[in-house]
């Protein structure tokens, strides 16, 4: 697929066909994260992949907020994704990397000296690569946040304290019944001229 087509075709898919993703396809989609840029090449992004039925069922049970009117994967079993990927920004790898001799001069071996937490920036870039790689493989991806159960998720999955969960990526083959919905209809895409400030704001 052409690069521009992957970007244009990417949109959040919220209803999935009930068929598994082959291991080789899933590996190709996830592997792209290894090529994300990162400050000091710290590569502070980790992912937990949940693909077994019992893992997915546990995740939905732990995180679904019944008061949330938005659709939630697992609430509609006929449209649930084949796989859930949890991305984590791993701060420890940055603080350790910036304690090395070639970086120590910047003083960023201490968290309070980071004006922008690059572990969040870099993990977001890695997430974006996964969303695009999914399109390239004919899959759909849904990135979303959870409002319930995060504490239980990180505890039960043994996530180290230096890691922050940055939302959820659901992956699967798009259902023919999936239709764009939500904010994308209520809002316009900001024009280029409004978004880009040439020379100055
Ligand atoms: C940080 C972030 C959080 C989001 N959270 C949710 C969410 O909780 N639920 C959801 O359905 N979509 C969520 N989305 C998807 C956005 O609604 C979607 O990207 C936006 O409306 C543009 O639509 P598109 O991605 O289909 O082009 C989120 C996207 C981002 C980048």
């Amino acid at each position: 697929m052409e690069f521009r087509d992957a970007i244009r075709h990417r949109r959040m898919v919220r209803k999935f066909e009930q068929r598994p993703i082959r291991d080789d396809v899933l590996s190709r989609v996830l592997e792209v994260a290894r090529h994300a840029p990162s400050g000091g090449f710290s590569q502070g992004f980790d992912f937990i992949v949940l693909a077994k039925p019992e893992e997915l069922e546990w995740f939905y049970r732990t995180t679904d907020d019944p008061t949330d009117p938005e659709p939630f994967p697992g609430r509609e079993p006929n449209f649930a994704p084949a796989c859930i990927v949890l991305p984590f920004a791993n701060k420890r790898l940055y603080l350790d990397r910036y304690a090395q001799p070639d970086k120590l001069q910047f003083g960023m071996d201490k968290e309070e000296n980071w004006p922008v937490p690059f572990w969040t920036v870099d993990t977001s870039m890695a997430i974006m690569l996964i969303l695009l790689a999914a399109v390239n493989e004919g899959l759909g991806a849904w990135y979303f946040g959870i409002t319930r159960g995060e504490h239980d998720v990180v505890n039960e999955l043994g996530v180290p304290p230096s890691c922050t969960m940055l939302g959820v990526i659901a992956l699967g083959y798009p259902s023919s019944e999936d239709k764009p919905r939500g904010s994308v209809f209520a809002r316009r895409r900001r024009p280029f001229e409004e978004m880009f400030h040439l020379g100055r704001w």
Side-chain angles (χ1 to χ4, degrees):
M1 182 180 273
E2 288 289 321
F3 175 67
R4 290 191 70 84
D5 290 339
I7 291 173
R8 287 294 174 96
H9 283 129
R10 191 217 56 79
R11 63 174 181 79
M12 295 303 168
V13 169
R14 296 179 175 89
K15 291 187 177 186
F16 300 89
E17 279 183 12
Q18 295 310 286
R19 63 170 161 129
I21 305 170
R22 277 202 337 250
D23 285 349
D24 61 316
V25 175
L26 183 60
S27 295
R28 283 199 298 274
V29 169
L30 300 180
E31 197 273 340
V32 296
R34 297 179 56 239
H35 297 273
S38 59
F41 203 30
S42 304
Q43 305 170 72
F45 17 90
D46 287 76
F47 301 88
I48 292 180
V49 181
L50 305 176
K52 293 183 183 149
E54 64 273 19
E55 294 170 343
L56 293 165
E57 199 274 325
W58 167 80
F59 179 78
Y60 302 145
R61 194 162 20 90
T62 309
T63 58
D64 189 16
D65 179 353
T67 65
D68 184 351
E70 294 282 301
F72 188 78
R75 206 182 279 174
E76 300 178 291
N78 295 341
F79 298 118
C83 174
I84 291 279
V85 180
L86 306 177
F88 294 91
N90 193 341
K91 177 176 61 187
R92 182 77 261 150
L93 293 189
Y94 290 79
L95 301 183
D96 289 351
R97 170 68 185 101
Y98 280 78
Q100 290 177 343
D102 62 325
K103 294 288 184 192
L104 196 55
Q105 57 185 310
F106 301 113
M108 289 160 87
D109 53 324
K110 295 178 189 62
E111 182 178 358
E112 58 273 22
N113 291 343
W114 286 77
V116 173
F118 279 0
W119 42 95
T120 306
V121 175
D122 298 349
T123 306
S124 304
M125 293 199 193
I127 292 169
M128 188 71 233
L129 290 183
I130 291 176
L131 300 185
L132 289 173
V135 176
N136 191 46
E137 294 287 344
L139 294 170
W142 178 10
Y143 178 81
F144 61 96
I146 56 170
T147 52
R148 177 176 177 267
E150 182 170 335
H151 187 71
D152 292 336
V153 167
V154 298
N155 269 351
E156 293 195 35
L157 296 179
V159 178
S162 67
C163 292
T164 306
M165 190 170 133
L166 291 194
V168 179
I169 308 167
L171 294 170
Y173 290 94
S175 161
S176 56
E177 292 190 40
D178 182 68
K179 301 281 179 293
R181 52 157 285 275
S183 310
V184 80
F185 280 124
R187 301 174 60 81
R188 66 180 182 133
R189 194 173 296 280
R190 291 177 66 201
F192 182 95
E193 296 73 21
E194 180 185 306
M195 189 177 284
F196 288 87
H197 311 272
L198 303 182
R200 57 165 292 149
W201 196 286

